[in-house]
Amino acid sequence: MAFQPRDLSVLAYANGFTLWHYATPDAHTAVRVAGYFNPASHMMRLGDMVLANTGVGTTPVAGILLVNANSGGVIDTADLTQVGAADTD
């Protein structure tokens, strides 16, 4: 699939920083590549963070993405920092 703007929402905004939430059936390996969030380049800024729920409905992976580049309409995010990966019970 591709980025779906309707699935991106603002959780918090303060001092020029935005915390986003994005849910998608796409794998986290697809979401973190340069260009995936390009349709939102007019809204996202360097340093913004995205709480991402990826693999929805298949193999879920949740984590945090950092917007580390936004130049010429091309957004890049750092690799997903996974949360909730360990479940030792």
Side-chain angles (χ1 to χ4, degrees):
M1 284 187 69
F3 172 75
Q4 298 296 318
R6 70 178 176 271
D7 296 328
L8 180 68
S9 57
V10 173
L11 295 175
Y13 173 81
N15 299 321
F17 165 82
T18 305
L19 178 63
W20 301 90
H21 178 260
Y22 186 67
T24 180
D26 295 344
H28 70 92
T29 53
V31 172
R32 64 126 187 115
V33 298
Y36 184 88
F37 287 100
N38 284 357
S41 65
H42 63 287
M43 299 184 297
M44 300 178 99
R45 292 179 299 279
L46 292 177
D48 283 359
M49 293 183 185
V50 180
L51 298 180
N53 293 95
T54 64
V56 174
T58 57
T59 306
V61 175
I64 303 167
L65 298 163
L66 172 70
V67 177
N68 63 9
N70 183 351
S71 178
V74 178
I75 295 253
D76 191 19
T77 59
D79 291 354
L80 184 114
T81 301
Q82 195 169 346
V83 296
D87 183 7
T88 58
D89 63 344

